[in-house]
Amino acid sequence: MQSVGFIGWRGMVGSVLIDRMRRENDFQGFEPVFFTTSQAGQAGPDVGGGASPLRDANDVRALAEMDILVSCQGGDYTKEMHPKLRAAGWRGYWIDAASALRMKEDAVIVLDPVNRKQIEQALNKGLRDFVGGNCTVSLMLMGMQGLFDAGLVEWVSSMTYQSASGAGAKNMKELVAQMGGLADAGRALAEDPASQVLELDRIISAKLNDGSLPTDAFGAPLAANLIPWIDSAMEDGRTREEWKGMVETNKILGTATPIPVDGQCVRVGAMRCHSQALTVKLTRDVPLAEVEALIAGANDWVKLVPNEKAATLAGLTPAAVSGGLDIPVGRLRKMALGGEYLTAFTVGDQLLWGAAEPVRRMLLIVLGRL
Ligand code: NAP
């Protein structure tokens, strides 16, 4: 029986992964072993066969006993441990949610509904490093797969609205604490029907700017605000998150000539789920009905939302999508710029299709179960 080691299983992505695997009854036919960087010896999760003590995720020899390792621990961990394991001669499969290895030549970015062929080719060639893609890239590709597959995309501009949970557990807590601080400051005036709204605005603005809200994780208030910067700066003015859009899209699609993808990545006060407003330059002027049919038919998870207010409010918001695998695509129309310019809005759960689900499915592929 193959052994599968899980590292980072109690973080945001890892706990969503374990939850999905439990629900889908995936913990069978292999021996799961749980590792930790901080709690070795404590009881691990019980996924059906009783809880075993956690093993040390910094112990190369313990890791090397595994046939497959699944890491949701983060890029620093991958950068430290993956080279050590390979240097020690470990030939197992490394399946990772972090970005550290994504652009390595012998690593494959996995999003199997979109690039199953590349995954199979890589497995046949004996490649052993498989990495989930950047969350907004994977969600954009799941939504727009029909247009990419049909060769209809000349370029894409993606303007993102990314949730607090994309930055990790601490950031989610900080957002709620900020919301609480604002609510406390404004409650009396907000609840008094006779109060002056400009006074409420003044109090909230003052609270946002007086330095009293917790901002250690985000560096600025996110509640009642937004932050048009995600990740570190690149030399050309893009952020690293924006840079990933083009390089990862083209690596996943295996394009011979890169398709330009660019835009601005913005953190907003949504708890979970990343949204994107897309501008797509089509390679030719295709009727909207054809575009809709291509998008809707591309995979089992994409769902077309009619370009109507009621349907949009009901199905095209982070709150509506959170915790589910659907990728709704709506607000779809040709732009005033011309018949080759399409706009769309899409939302997806960045912890599911944006992180845990491609990793989970890659594990099942390696185990020969998908
Ligand atoms: P995270 O929530 O910060 O968890 C990472 C690790 O932190 C855990 O495995 C755990 O390791 C440790 N940890 C320390 N205190 C903890 C606590 N109180 N609760 C839970 N864990 C705690 O990181 P993440 O957001 O899951 O991200 C993991 C990787 O996936 C990163 O490379 C990230 O870039 C990538 N990713 C994240 C998202 C997302 O939406 N968050 C999306 C796509 C990709 P020990 O048990 O070993 O201590």
Side-chain angles (χ1 to χ4, degrees):
M1 191 184 280
Q2 298 201 81
S3 51
V4 181
F6 292 88
I7 311 143
W9 53 274
R10 75 179 179 118
M12 290 279 310
V13 176
S15 38
V16 170
L17 172 70
I18 300 305
D19 185 50
R20 272 287 293 150
M21 291 186 64
R22 272 202 179 105
R23 280 167 198 256
E24 294 294 317
N25 213 9
D26 289 336
F27 285 107
Q28 48 173 311
F30 64 89
E31 185 202 350
V33 179
F34 292 90
F35 288 83
T36 176
T37 61
S38 63
Q39 302 178 325
Q42 292 185 28
D46 181 356
V47 292
S52 302
L54 294 169
R55 300 190 69 183
D56 182 0
N58 295 310
D59 180 347
V60 174
R61 270 197 290 189
L63 293 169
E65 288 169 21
M66 302 293 117
D67 299 299
I68 301 167
L69 285 167
V70 178
S71 176
C72 302
Q73 184 66 24
D76 291 343
Y77 177 81
T78 298
K79 281 184 207 152
E80 194 187 333
M81 298 308 290
H82 178 271
K84 286 186 189 166
L85 268 163
R86 293 298 186 212
W90 182 68
R91 296 268 304 137
Y93 291 97
W94 176 273
I95 304 173
D96 201 340
S99 64
L101 303 178
R102 279 185 204 143
M103 296 312 295
K104 265 186 51 206
E105 207 174 314
D106 52 0
V108 180
I109 305 181
V110 293
L111 187 64
D112 69 276
V114 173
N115 72 344
R116 180 75 189 238
K117 211 167 71 193
Q118 279 97 314
I119 292 171
E120 294 298 342
Q121 283 167 355
L123 286 168
N124 290 338
K125 275 203 291 191
L127 299 195
R128 309 224 152 210
D129 293 338
F130 296 89
V131 189
N134 169 264
C135 38
T136 47
V137 171
S138 296
L139 296 173
M140 186 270 285
L141 284 172
M142 290 293 289
M144 292 291 112
Q145 182 181 358
L147 301 184
F148 282 104
D149 286 354
L152 277 173
V153 181
E154 187 175 319
W155 53 254
V156 183
S157 175
S158 165
M159 301 295 182
T160 74
Y161 305 78
Q162 298 182 221
S163 64
S165 57
K170 277 200 317 279
N171 298 60
M172 281 177 96
K173 289 183 180 167
E174 187 170 283
L175 172 62
V176 174
Q178 291 175 357
M179 288 170 171
L182 293 175
D184 289 346
R187 182 168 292 111
L189 285 172
E191 288 175 358
D192 175 5
S195 69
Q196 291 291 317
V197 75
L198 280 184
E199 181 58 7
L200 177 62
D201 179 46
R202 192 191 61 73
I203 284 175
I204 296 297
S205 294
K207 186 76 182 167
L208 283 168
N209 289 297
D210 70 5
S212 63
L213 293 174
T215 56
D216 286 350
F218 283 115
L222 183 65
N225 202 17
L226 59 78
I227 302 174
W229 191 283
I230 297 178
D231 210 336
S232 52
M234 304 286 289
E235 277 181 6
D236 63 2
R238 284 182 290 184
T239 63
R240 198 167 176 78
E241 186 79 356
E242 290 155 4
W243 169 80
K244 287 175 184 172
M246 180 156 166
V247 293
E248 291 196 21
T249 295
N250 284 284
K251 181 159 180 176
I252 291 170
L253 294 173
T255 50
T257 308
I259 296 170
V261 179
D262 204 354
Q264 302 225 6
C265 292
V266 179
R267 187 77 66 197
V268 297
M271 280 300 273
R272 182 164 165 173
C273 294
H274 292 347
S275 308
Q276 307 180 55
L278 304 172
T279 301
V280 182
K281 170 83 192 310
L282 300 168
T283 51
R284 57 194 165 84
D285 184 356
V286 185
L288 191 59
E290 198 178 315
V291 165
E292 288 175 344
L294 285 168
I295 289 175
N299 59 57
D300 292 343
W301 298 273
V302 68
K303 301 280 178 292
L304 218 55
V305 176
N307 188 13
E308 296 160 3
K309 183 174 179 183
T312 301
L313 267 56
L316 196 60
T317 64
V321 169
S322 185
L325 288 162
D326 282 354
I327 307 284
V329 177
R331 301 304 332 277
L332 205 58
R333 63 179 173 83
K334 294 293 186 75
M335 302 178 83
L337 304 172
E340 292 164 0
Y341 294 86
L342 182 78
T343 182
F345 195 87
T346 181
V347 188
D349 190 321
Q350 95 285 352
L351 287 163
L352 285 166
W353 272 120
E357 191 64 6
V359 164
R360 168 184 167 264
R361 290 171 65 93
M362 189 61 219
L363 172 61
L364 297 182
I365 290 172
V366 170
L367 291 168
R369 301 209 331 233
L370 184 74

